[in-house]
């Protein structure tokens, strides 16, 4: 076993570095606004509430407009994720609206990487002809649509693909939270819970970093918990930037979290610290699980995780004593959203651990969100498309995956097999972010039709036959977004400034016009305003009021803590034993699953994660954010000092990283903040599209090293099942 113990001094040194880096996450807006708007002081400032599009959190913003130009944005005080604050990405991403690298008109591919402008009408006509021909020749099951589901997309995109008779609607969760979603779904009947962090006394984060993958209100809640004396444990092979709010860091061997959770569950039961009354009333299958857990002792887990058995016992006992105000936070992507062969089972074990603590729907515990009661269009006047005859591709292969997400990579897999013929990508850079880019390129090249709806020339757009330019989020209104949470609410993204590029269009218009060209316009016989009016009807709130306020919460609909809802599992209870798993040919009780690959003493596991100033691949071309990367050398990979020394590598050296898939050259950051077995690659770099002039050529994309491989439970990408070797090369 490698020595993973860190000295107390190492932890303190790392925490100081954390504080320095976290402060980078709060870049001032003035610099940006001075650079972009030279407006006079006396001009009237319009303040228009809307929502951020810097990441999936979609925080409420206030757009401040001077002379018709966006001057600055601030956080919406009422929005539950913003609470008046935005992260650096939120501020920086707003510059997208004036980016010189935006897509400004529809394009048609005329050769590899070569495009010519085409009129909207001609583009619709050609796309519609191809789609209809493909449907005629190969059936509607051979077309697909994939996106990052934002408010309008969530409504319009599935409706569009269903209107053409296909069920093949996919989201990006296949490389995000598919495993956690499946594990939770089959245990507690919801793909996630939310954590009542502010009131919790003992919080464990397993590969979830509030300090890097920021949501402003989460950071605030964690700081409050710390002020209230909560114990905050980070389980991460890397001391991430939540470090300065944490009380303890467990530098776990990557991929071994399931062993830790199983052993902690073992201790809870052994010490009689599980919540017997809760379990009796609200769960099924406890006896079977308890029997299996007998063999997963802390000593067994120490071998796998590198965390001492007495530490595992101490923490489980302390959490048991602090219950129900103790929890493992539900996580997102880092450890078990996807990444490992055992990720779905880790998700399941985490949901079960929280149930053993009886913390579900308790103050300071794991909470099932309430959702607002929003209306629908009148179906007599605006008929919905018929249910597609064939199920979504991938459902058969991955029966445990959450069906609404689907398994987006099946599109590439079936393209390679010649079964899938068309793919539409909206708000998605699948070619760089969903799987190995070489494989994605080969797959997309096999399709008869690829259409991208985007705001910039992404790697996916580059592989498309047609590119349709969306307006940026600063220039559009969308469908109303329902906000789930302890207190439900709603938020409106609305147009803040006039369109900068006249030939760009929002997706509600694009889908409507494309549907008309395809001969299915009857399913889009309404305007966005009519849709929003219909959604608002049950709330009694006028569209005008929502436009003025931007975010409206419904405190009278807040959920009552202490009352367990009926769960949406087959038994209506927490399932320690799952018939669904059994029927699908999987183990009905969680057992240890080995990661697929393991490094030896000459190699490393490649892991990745977020940085506070970037989102996925979409911010690499934002100059103010990329400047921070350059100023702080943030594109470097992380390596532990002991391993670096053995390889003759020093801070800042250039190295070569080699996996079964690729070789990359990059400089290193040598730091005690990373487990000796792992190399950490920040996830936002490696842009290969030359039209993104700012982002192009900086760092490397970790996906280049990831084999095109998927975990069999939820179909999620095995993103961290990658072994690499590192050697020093001349810079
Ligand atoms: N800044 C920023 N914030 C974001 C986003 C973004 O792109 N940028 N995107 C949003 C989205 S869509 C998502 S999914 C979330 C992601 O939110 P998180 O899941 O919190 O973010 P990550 O940085 O991907 O992963 C968190 C940590 O997992 C650790 N990790 C890696 N491997 C392992 C392992 O085997 N075990 C354990 N225990 N830990 C491991 C990494 O070192 C990292 O510090 O962020 C959201 N917020
Ligand atoms: N390389 C890499 N791969 C990743 C990740 C990563 O950080 N790096 N993160 C993983 C995770 S956690 C997730 S959730 C997924 C995210 O995967 P994606 O959802 O694909 O996210 P991005 O890679 O940021 O790509 C978003 C695309 O949407 C475009 N876009 C931005 N704004 C708009 C808009 O207003 N309208 C339209 N139509 N398009 C717009 C961007 O230009 C970009 O091409 O990727 C996963 N894979
Ligand atoms: S967390 Fe940051 S980038 Fe994401 S929506 Fe909120 S402000 Fe925007
Ligand atoms: Mo994600």
């Amino acid at each position: 076993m490698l020595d993973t113990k860190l000295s107390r001094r190492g932890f303190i040194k790392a925490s100081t570095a954390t504080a320095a880096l976290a402060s980078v996450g709060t870049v001032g807006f003035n610099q940006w606004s001075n650079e972009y708007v030279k407006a006079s002081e006396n001009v009237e400032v319009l303040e228009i509430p809307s929502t951020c599009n810097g990441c999936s959190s979609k925080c409420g913003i206030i757009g401040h407009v001077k002379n018709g130009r966006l001057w600055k944005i601030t956080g919406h005080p009422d929005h539950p994720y913003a609470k008046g604050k935005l992260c650096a990405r939120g501020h920086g991403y707003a510059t997208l609206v004036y980016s010189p690298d935006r897509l400004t008109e529809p394009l048609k591919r005329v050769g590899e990487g070569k495009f010519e402008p085409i009129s909207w009408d001609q583009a619709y006509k050609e796309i519609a002809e191809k789609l209809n021909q493909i449907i005629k020749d190969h059936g509607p099951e051979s077309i697909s649509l994939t996106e990052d589901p934002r408010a309008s997309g969530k409504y319009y995109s599935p409706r569009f693909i269903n209107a053409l008779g296909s069920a093949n609607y996919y989201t990006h969760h296949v490389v995000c939270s598919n495993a956690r979603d499946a594990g939770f779904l089959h245990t507690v009947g919801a793909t996630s819970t939310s954590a009542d962090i502010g009131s919790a006394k003992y919080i464990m984060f397993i590969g979830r970093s509030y300090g890097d993958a920021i949501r402003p209100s989460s950071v605030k809640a964690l700081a409050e918990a710390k002020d209230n004396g909560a114990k905050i444990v980070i389980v991460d092979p890397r001391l991430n930037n939540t470090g300065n709010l944490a009380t303890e860091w467990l530098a776990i061997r990557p991929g071994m979290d399931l062993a830790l959770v199983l052993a902690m569950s073992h201790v809870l039961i052994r010490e009689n610290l599980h919540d017997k009354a809760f379990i009796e009333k609200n769960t099924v299958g406890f006896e079977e699980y308890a029997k299996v857990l007998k063999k997963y002792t802390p000593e067994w887990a120490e071998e796998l995780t590198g965390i001492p058995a007495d530490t595992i016992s101490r923490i489980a006992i302390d959490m048991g004593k602090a219950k129900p105000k103790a929890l493992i936070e539900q996580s997102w992507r880092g450890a078990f959203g996807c990444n490992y062969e055992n990720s779905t089972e880790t998700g399941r074990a985490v949901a079960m651990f929280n149930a053993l603590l009886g913390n579900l729907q308790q103050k300071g515990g794991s909470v099932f969100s309430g959702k607002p009661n929003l209306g629908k269009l009148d179906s007599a006047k605006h008929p919905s498309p018929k249910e597609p005859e064939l199920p979504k591709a991938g459902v058969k292969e991955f029966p445990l995956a959450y069906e609404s997400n689907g398994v987006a990579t099946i599109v590439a897999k079936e393209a390679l097999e010649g079964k899938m013929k068309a793919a539409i990508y909206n708000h998605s850079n699948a070619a760089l972010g969903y799987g190995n880019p070489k494989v994605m390129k080969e797959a997309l090249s096999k399709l008869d039709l690829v259409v991208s709806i985007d705001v910039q020339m992404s790697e996916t757009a580059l592989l498309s036959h047609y590119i349709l330019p969306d307006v940026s989020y600063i220039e559009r209104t969308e469908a109303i977004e329902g906000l789930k949470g302890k207190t439900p609410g709603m938020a409106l993204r609305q147009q803040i400034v006039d369109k900068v590029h006249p030939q760009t269009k929002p997706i509600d218009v694009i889908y409507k016009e494309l549907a008309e060209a395809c001969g299915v316009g009857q399913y889009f016989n309404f305007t966005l305003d009519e849709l929003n009016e219909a959604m608002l009807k049950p709330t009694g709130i006028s569209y005008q009021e929502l436009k003025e306020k931007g975010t409206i919460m419904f405190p009278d609909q807040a959920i009552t803590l202490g009352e367990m809802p009926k769960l949406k599992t087959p038994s209506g209870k927490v399932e320690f034993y799952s018939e669904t798993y059994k029927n699908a040919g999987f183990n009905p009780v969680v057992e240890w699953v080995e990661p697929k690959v393991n490094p030896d003493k000459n190699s490393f596991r490649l892991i990745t994660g977020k940085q506070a100033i970037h989102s996925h691949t979409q911010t690499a071309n934002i100059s103010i954010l990329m400047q921070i990367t350059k100023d702080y050398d943030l594109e470097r990979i992380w390596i532990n000092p002991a391993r670096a020394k053995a390889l003759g590598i020093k801070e800042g050296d250039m190295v070569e990283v080699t996996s079964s898939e690729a070789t990359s050259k990059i400089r290193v950051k040598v730091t005690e903040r990373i487990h000796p077995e792992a190399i950490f690659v920040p996830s936002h770099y490696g842009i290969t599209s030359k039209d993104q002039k700012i982002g192009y050529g900086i760092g490397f994309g970790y996906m280049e090293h990831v084999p095109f491989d998927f975990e069999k439970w939820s179909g999620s990408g095995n993103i961290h099942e990658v072994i690499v070797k590192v050697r020093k090369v001349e810079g």
Side-chain angles (χ1 to χ4, degrees), residues 16-34:
T16 320
T18 301
L21 193 66
S23 67
V24 171
T26 52
V27 59
F29 199 85
N30 286 343
Q31 185 194 347
W32 179 82
S33 59
N34 290 341

Side-chain angles (χ1 to χ4, degrees), residues 712-731:
K712 67 181 180 207
W713 282 261
S714 67
S716 64
N718 274 335
I719 308 299
H720 294 185
E721 298 280 19
V722 180
I723 303 299
V724 295
K725 288 199 168 160
V726 176
R727 72 179 183 99
K728 185 174 152 70
V729 290
E730 287 313 310

Side-chain angles (χ1 to χ4, degrees), residues 56 172 175-177 332-333 610 616:
S56 342
H172 64 193
V175 276
C176 175
S177 60
W332 202 335
R333 187 212 69 94
K610 310 298 181 201
H616 316 301

Side-chain angles (χ1 to χ4, degrees), residues 142-199:
S142 65
I143 66 169
S144 63
L145 195 158
T146 303
E147 69 175 5
D148 170 353
R150 306 282 159 130
S152 273
K154 234 185 288 183
Y155 186 85
Y156 283 90
S157 297
R159 194 174 178 99
F160 177 76
I161 203 75
N162 291 169
L164 293 172
S166 171
N168 296 337
Y169 170 76
Y170 302 97
T171 66
H172 64 193
H173 295 95
V174 69
V175 276
C176 175
S177 60
N178 251 33
R180 190 277 314 269
D181 292 351
F184 270 52
L185 184 69
H186 300 298
T187 308
V188 294
T191 52
S192 184
T193 48
S194 61
D196 191 15
I197 291 288
S199 305

Side-chain angles (χ1 to χ4, degrees), residues 377-396:
L377 284 170
D378 175 351
S379 59
K381 274 203 241 154
H382 310 288
S384 295
K386 273 203 324 253
E387 178 105 349
E389 276 168 28
L390 287 172
K392 205 176 264 203
V395 165
K396 226 177 42 239

Side-chain angles (χ1 to χ4, degrees), residues 32-39 66 69-72 98:
W32 179 82
S33 59
N34 290 341
E35 198 174 313
Y36 280 79
V37 183
K38 310 250 186 303
K66 274 188 187 181
R69 252 182 100 90
L70 182 67
W71 170 47
K72 66 173 179 180
Y98 302 124

Side-chain angles (χ1 to χ4, degrees), residues 208-209 212 235-236 238 255 257 333-334 340 610-611 614:
R208 168 77 181 101
S209 176
D212 299 275
V235 181
D236 196 319
R238 186 177 79 100
D257 303 277
R333 187 212 69 94
Y340 298 100
K610 310 298 181 201
Q611 284 177 334
H614 283 295

Side-chain angles (χ1 to χ4, degrees), residues 184-247:
F184 270 52
L185 184 69
H186 300 298
T187 308
V188 294
T191 52
S192 184
T193 48
S194 61
D196 191 15
I197 291 288
S199 305
K201 290 280 161 226
Y202 210 116
I203 305 159
M204 176 176 275
F205 289 104
I206 299 188
R208 168 77 181 101
S209 176
Y210 282 13
D212 299 275
I214 288 185
R215 180 181 272 178
S217 62
S218 303
V219 181
K220 190 162 176 264
L222 190 61
E224 275 164 20
K226 183 156 194 205
D227 285 347
N228 294 337
K231 287 260 185 288
I232 300 166
V233 177
I234 299 179
V235 181
D236 196 319
R238 186 177 79 100
L239 179 55
N240 63 48
N241 283 308
T242 315
N244 53 353
L245 288 175
T247 45

